[in-house]
Amino acid sequence: MIARVVAGLVVVSVAGATAGPSHLPPPAGTISGKVTYTGTPPKMRPIDMAKEPACVTDHPTPVMTQDVVTGSANSVRYVVVYISGGDQGAPAATDTVRYDQKGCLYIPHVAVMQVHQPLEIFNDDPHSHNIHPLARVNPEWNKSQPKGAPPIRTAWDQPEFIPVKCNVHPWMHGYFAVLATSHFSMTDSTGEFSITGLPPGTYTVTAWHERFGTKSQEVTVAGSETKTANFVLTARPY
Amino acid sequence: MRPQTRWLTLSACGAVLLCGGAVRVVAQEAHVDRLTGRAAAGKPLYTRYCAGCHGDEGDSRGENTQWIDPKPRDFTLATFKCRSTPSGTLPTDQDLYNSVTRGFVTTNMPPWVALTPHNRIDLVAYIKTFSARWSTAKPGTPIAIPPEPAPTVQGILHGRELFQRLECWKCHGAAGHGDGPSAKTLTDNKDDPIRPYDFQTGTRFMCGTTNQDLYRIFMTGLDGSPMPSFADQLQPAQAWDLVHFLRTLQPLKTPEATIWRAWFTTHGRELKPIGQEGGGQ
């Protein structure tokens, strides 16, 4: 009996909330946290760009490899954290994601985007690059982009983590993280991330790293609260 | 066919696809000229002639694969080097038929001319059952190749500038010997080492022998390999100039090589060398 009354109250309150004044923004929760590793990660090594003299002059101090970038307290950078189960948010954003080839590096090292979101790839260097996304689910392509060539405009149809490489400069490696969801974030140099604007609900949150793989956990967000979800990835030395 | 009957037929097809479930989703036919290839007819041929290298599942894991370099094509990726279509698109049936017929020089893939044309197109139909992309996407539109102009010294010189500016030499080498600064680090889409074409050998190209084939190779790129598409970078006249220059790098008696060598003996010293410091002019 009591249960039935409580259930009735809940129904009334939910109905009240939906019929209530519309000037209040819908509650939006946040999931934030930090990604760290256990084990022994590979060492970051200086990149030898001797093959491309212009890029050597671009970097007075040698650039370090970016596939595994770790910080203090075992933090990991370039981890894509996204909602893999639960509300998938808005359809593809119309704003363009920019990806640069500059100083023989991909900037950003990992570009996160939604399926069908416009992507523009620039060559800012005074020499050629070939941009070769090694897609498996989406079609793989490979295009030359010489000095001064206009940006390549494209988009991806399927969610996929696509390795990108330049065959001319073998140290150039990057990723296109193409997601079905609009709820995502990427860890910064302190390993921290924050996914905002989440409607109340239960979510599967997945953290992906190009070398350390993926880990997932369930998080329930109610109202406008901020929930913490930390991830510990297992480092593989090679 | 009455609309109702058509609807029934469509639903039956849908049911077959659904029932197929985990089984391959399919494009069951292939067409070249007046020939229609059928996957069912291609399957026994594939098992007999192709599976040893390409694998029963088309995943390039045949029993011979470990001994082969470069590795056989993995049909489950639906990524093909020799196409008439833009980079990132599926090849036409004719492209696949041509590959089966021609084979790939300097690899373990022989020309399958011993099979009848009908056998070959049946094989093409069967190869297309290994990837679902054949049922979700259509082949690209073949790139247009305008008529070839006669080679001239001016055109060849212009092609040489393009070879410098587009940095073909970074892989293919300043003299086209396949020994450019990036040659040794090249890998394909499976991370296996792969060599750029060495023009000095004068052998056939991976995807044909004619000037048109050469034009098509650098305009479409060889998907899966490090060779990119230059279609967005070259106008047709420029592309022909580049074709004519590339021919001069081969030790062959081609019309291009003849007029180039005549000019080169008197003017060769005026040329800047190709390469990092060179202007290629």
Side-chain angles (χ1 to χ4, degrees), chain B residues 145-263:
Chain B
I145 304 184
E148 180 180 355
T152 61
V153 168
Q154 268 315 310
I156 293 171
L157 280 169
H158 186 216
R160 189 171 182 272
E161 282 171 39
L162 291 167
F163 189 84
Q164 165 73 27
R165 184 162 64 78
L166 298 175
E167 301 182 4
C168 311
W169 56 272
K170 286 226 171 127
C171 297
H172 291 285
H177 296 183
D179 58 354
S182 297
K184 282 185 182 159
T185 53
L186 295 178
T187 53
D188 66 11
N189 61 348
K190 295 213 155 181
D191 268 342
D192 290 318
I194 191 166
R195 272 187 297 228
Y197 178 75
D198 177 354
F199 288 85
Q200 194 184 28
T201 63
T203 57
R204 287 169 284 154
F205 307 115
M206 177 72 73
C207 307
T209 52
T210 67
N211 281 7
Q212 278 214 350
D213 293 328
L214 184 49
Y215 185 110
R216 196 180 296 111
I217 287 168
F218 61 70
M219 290 301 250
T220 62
L222 305 186
D223 282 1
S225 87
M227 176 70 186
S229 158
F230 288 85
D232 296 338
Q233 313 305 335
L234 292 168
Q235 296 302 313
Q238 295 177 306
W240 279 122
D241 287 343
L242 184 55
V243 166
H244 293 154
F245 169 69
L246 294 176
R247 280 299 191 191
T248 68
L249 298 174
Q250 293 179 301
L252 303 176
K253 258 193 171 176
T254 55
E256 298 85 12
T258 309
I259 58 171
W260 176 250
R261 277 165 210 152
W263 181 88

Side-chain angles (χ1 to χ4, degrees), chain A residues 51-53 126-128 130 132 134 136-137 139-146 149-150 152 165 167-170, chain B residues 77 79 87-88 133 166-167 170 181-182 185-191 223-230 232-233 276:
Chain A
K51 232 179 239 186
E52 194 61 79
H127 48 79
S128 261
N130 76 304
H132 191 170
L134 294 153
R136 291 286 163 106
V137 181
E140 173 187 338
W141 50 261
N142 182 4
K143 289 181 181 180
S144 167
Q145 198 173 23
I152 293 172
K165 75 174 180 181
N167 296 101
V168 184
H169 309 109
Chain B
L77 297 178
T79 298
S87 183
R133 264 187 79 201
L166 298 175
E167 301 182 4
K170 286 226 171 127
S182 297
T185 53
L186 295 178
T187 53
D188 66 11
N189 61 348
K190 295 213 155 181
D191 268 342
D223 282 1
S225 87
M227 176 70 186
S229 158
F230 288 85
D232 296 338
Q233 313 305 335
Q276 200 79 63

Side-chain angles (χ1 to χ4, degrees), chain A residues 35-37 41-42 44 65-71 74-82 109-110 161 175 177 179 185-188 191 206-216 231-237:
Chain A
V35 182
T36 54
Y37 66 86
M44 293 179 273
T65 48
Q66 294 182 313
D67 51 344
V68 176
V69 180
T70 54
N74 288 9
S75 65
V76 191
R77 196 179 176 185
Y78 299 124
V79 179
V80 179
V81 186
Y82 64 102
H109 174 63
V110 178
F161 293 96
Y175 265 90
L179 303 175
S185 177
M186 186 161 68
T187 57
D188 56 17
T206 298
W208 170 91
H209 184 266
E210 61 181 283
R211 296 287 295 273
F212 301 162
T214 59
K215 281 218 172 150
S216 296
F231 291 87
V232 182
L233 301 177
T234 309
R236 292 192 287 259

